[in-house]
Amino acid sequence: MSSSLLQSRVPPQLSFTSSLNKSQWRFTTLPAVTFTRRAKHATVNAKIREIFMPALSSTMTEGKIVSWIKSEGDVLSKGESVVVVESDKADMDVETFYDGILAAIVVPEGESAPVGAPIGLLAETEAEIEEARAKAASSGSSPATPPPAAPQAPAAAAVAPAPAPTPVAAAAVADGPRKIVSTPYAKKLAKQHKVDINKVVGTGPFGRITPADVEAAAGIVPVKSVAPVVAEPVAAAAAAPVKSAPALPDIPGATIVPFTTMQAAVSKNMIESLSVPTFRVGYPVMTDALDALYAKVKSKGVTMTALLAKAAAMALVQHPVVNASCKDGKSFTYNSSINIAVAVAINGGLITPVLQDADKLDLYLLSEKWKELVEKARSKQLQPHEYNSGTFTLSNLGMFGVDRFDAILPPGQGAIMAVGASKPTPIADKDGYFSVKSQMLVNVTADHRIVYGADLAAFLKTFAKIVQEPDSLTL
C-alpha cells in the first residue's frame, strides 16, 4: 500500500547582482518541498523549488520582471543569471544558487509581484517538470475562494409587551393604627377619585404611597405614551451612496499611463514627507570666486556638483544638527557620517546617488566618484547602499537657468538644499556704490522638529563663506 510523505529541506537560496558589480546579494526562498513516493521496489524523490521575488532594497514592496534571461526548459547552473528584476531604484540580475531546470515561469515579463511571491519554479530533474508546470498552472488559474457568507440573523420574533408588574402587597401588619406616608400629589389624587388612602398599599421607598398606587386602587389603567418608531438608520446608511471625490471628466484623446516601479516609489516618499513639519530659509551666495575656481579645475574632471557637495559637507561638519535625522517622531539621531545625496533626473523617474563621507574625500576623488554614480544611476545599476544612505540632499537646477525653487524633504533626512543658477546681479556695498557680481540663491527645507531657524541660518552663513572663499575646497 503506497503512502506519501512531505519533507522540508534546507531553504534554497538565490542571489542578485548588478551587471556592473558582480558582488553577490543573497536572499532565501521558502523551504523547498520534497515529495516522496514509495512503491514496492523503488523510491522516487521529486524536488521542486520556488524562485521568489527578492527584496532588492529596504523600501521595496514589489518588483517588476524586466526580462527572463532563461526560458522554460533551460538547464541552469549554480551562479547563472535567471531573471532581471526592476526594483524601486535599479534593475538587478537574479542568479540561482542551485543546479536544475527552469520548469515554469509564474510571473511573465512586464508584470509585477510582491516581495516574497513565487515568480518561477525550478525542478531538479526532467521527471518533475510536468508536475511543476501543473503546480504553476493551478496556482495561477485557481479562482480566489470567496469568503463564506455571514449567516443571516433570524428575524426578531414579535414579542408582546410584558404586562406591568403587579404591585406586591406589603406584608400583613398587625391590627392597629399606622402612620400614612404619601406624596402630596397622591393625596390629591385619592381625594379626587374618592379613594381611602388608608387602605392603599404603598410601593414607594419605605412604603410611601405614590400617585400610581392611588390610580391602581381606583382602577385606573395608566396610559403609557408610545414613542414613535424610528426606522433603523443602518439600512438607510447602507443604501446611501458613499461620498467620494468628484470624478474629473475625461479629456478626449488622453492616455492613462500607470506608474513605473520607480515613479510609484517616488510618489510614496513624497506623500510620506507631507507628515513632517518643515520650514524653508533662503540665502544669497556670491559665486565669483567659485566660478573662477571651477574654471581652473574643470579640465581635471571636477564638476560644479562636486564643488557644491564638498562645500555643503564642510559646512555640515560645523553644524551637525543639520545633518541629523528624526525617524520615529520621539528622538533624533546625530549621524556619524556625512553622506551627500544628489538628485539626478533619469528616464522615467528621479534618483539620489549618495556621495558617502563627502567631507573626507578630496575634491578630485569626489568628482570621480560622482561620475561613476551618475553612470550607474542612468543605467539603473546602483546598489541599494548607493542611493538610500544619504543624510543630506542637494538638488541643483541651476544648469537649467532656474533662479530659485523649493525642494521637498526626503523621508528620514533633516534637510535638503535647492540650488539655483548663478546670475549677474547688481550689489550695493556698504558705501552705497553698486557693482555687478555673480550671485546664486539657495533655499534649504528642513525638519522643524530637530532643526530650528537659527541653526539653518548659521549653516547657510558658513556655507556661503566656504563658497565665497573656496580655497579650502581643494585642500
Side-chain angles (χ1 to χ4, degrees):
M1 183 175 179
S2 63
S3 63
S4 63
L5 300 177
L6 186 64
Q7 301 177 348
S8 175
R9 296 291 186 186
V10 177
Q13 294 180 331
L14 296 173
S15 73
F16 54 91
T17 65
S18 165
S19 58
L20 294 182
N21 185 358
K22 288 299 181 181
S23 60
Q24 293 180 335
W25 297 67
R26 300 185 178 185
F27 66 91
T28 303
T29 65
L30 291 179
V33 177
T34 299
F35 299 94
T36 305
R37 302 184 185 89
R38 290 184 179 176
K40 287 185 178 180
H41 304 289
T43 299
V44 179
N45 292 327
K47 186 178 293 184
I48 300 173
R49 292 185 172 94
E50 291 180 320
I51 304 173
F52 290 90
M53 175 64 71
L56 304 182
S57 70
S58 59
T59 59
M60 178 176 169
T61 58
E62 69 173 12
K64 181 180 180 181
I65 303 298
V66 177
S67 64
W68 281 94
I69 301 174
K70 298 297 182 179
S71 303
E72 290 185 354
D74 287 352
V75 178
L76 307 179
S77 300
K78 180 180 178 180
E80 200 170 5
S81 296
V82 181
V83 62
V84 179
V85 175
E86 178 188 18
S87 71
D88 51 358
K89 298 294 183 182
D91 293 350
M92 310 293 280
D93 294 343
V94 178
E95 298 179 354
T96 177
F97 266 70
Y98 286 88
D99 297 334
I101 303 171
L102 182 58
I105 293 176
V106 178
V107 181
E109 295 180 0
E111 294 191 7
S112 301
V115 170
I119 59 176
L121 296 179
L122 186 67
E124 189 177 59
T125 64
E126 293 184 1
E128 288 84 44
I129 293 180
E130 291 303 323
E131 185 176 353
R133 290 177 178 174
K135 179 180 177 182
S138 62
S139 63
S141 61
S142 57
T145 305
Q152 278 193 337
V159 180
T166 304
V168 180
V173 294
D175 294 339
R178 62 187 179 91
K179 184 177 180 181
I180 302 300
V181 181
S182 63
T183 64
Y185 184 59
K187 291 180 180 179
K188 181 180 179 181
L189 286 178
K191 184 177 181 181
Q192 179 180 347
H193 296 292
K194 298 180 180 180
V195 174
D196 186 357
I197 199 168
N198 295 319
K199 297 180 180 180
V200 177
V201 178
T203 59
F206 305 103
R208 181 185 295 273
I209 299 173
T210 64
D213 297 332
V214 176
E215 291 179 344
I220 300 174
V221 179
V223 179
K224 295 183 179 180
S225 59
V226 180
V229 179
V230 180
E232 288 290 336
V234 177
V242 179
K243 291 184 178 180
S244 59
L248 298 177
D250 293 334
I251 299 176
T255 302
I256 298 176
V257 180
F259 277 164
T260 63
T261 307
M262 178 178 292
Q263 289 170 333
V266 172
S267 175
K268 177 178 177 293
N269 287 339
M270 295 302 96
I271 293 174
E272 183 179 344
S273 69
L274 295 177
S275 62
V276 178
T278 59
F279 72 107
R280 296 165 180 82
V281 175
Y283 204 95
V285 181
M286 305 305 159
T287 62
D288 294 280
L290 184 67
D291 293 338
L293 175 63
Y294 178 57
K296 293 180 181 179
V297 298
K298 183 178 180 180
S299 60
K300 299 179 182 180
V302 176
T303 63
M304 180 58 73
T305 297
L307 285 167
L308 294 173
K310 182 66 175 179
M314 293 176 64
L316 289 172
V317 172
Q318 302 182 44
H319 304 276
V321 70
V322 184
N323 192 55
S325 58
C326 176
K327 298 181 180 180
D328 59 1
K330 300 178 182 179
S331 62
F332 65 96
T333 303
Y334 281 103
N335 295 301
S336 58
S337 300
I338 296 178
N339 300 335
I340 306 297
V342 184
V344 175
I346 61 176
N347 185 23
L350 175 73
I351 197 168
T352 52
V354 178
L355 289 166
Q356 298 183 356
D357 296 319
D359 59 314
K360 300 175 183 177
L361 300 179
D362 65 67
L363 184 61
Y364 303 100
L365 184 58
L366 197 68
S367 296
E368 292 178 5
K369 184 65 176 176
W370 176 242
K371 289 181 180 178
E372 177 187 343
L373 289 171
V374 170
E375 290 177 0
K376 295 175 71 174
R378 289 178 176 163
S379 60
K380 301 183 71 175
Q381 297 297 328
L382 286 174
Q383 300 297 320
H385 70 279
E386 293 176 322
Y387 60 78
N388 62 11
S389 58
T391 59
F392 180 91
T393 298
L394 180 68
S395 181
N396 182 14
L397 292 181
M399 70 283 292
F400 299 107
V402 176
D403 58 353
R404 70 176 71 189
F405 68 101
D406 289 330
I408 299 177
L409 182 68
Q413 294 186 19
I416 179 173
M417 176 184 287
V419 181
S422 176
K423 295 183 177 182
T425 307
I427 305 294
D429 60 17
K430 61 181 180 179
D431 297 324
Y433 292 99
F434 282 89
S435 61
V436 177
K437 296 184 178 182
S438 296
Q439 177 181 277
M440 71 178 181
L441 297 176
V442 297
N443 289 335
V444 178
T445 303
D447 185 344
H448 213 331
R449 297 174 298 180
I450 54 177
V451 183
Y452 302 137
D455 300 323
L456 210 52
F459 164 77
L460 286 169
K461 184 177 181 180
T462 301
F463 174 80
K465 184 177 180 181
I466 294 173
V467 170
Q468 291 165 183
E469 301 173 5
D471 292 340
S472 59
L473 293 175
T474 59
L475 299 178

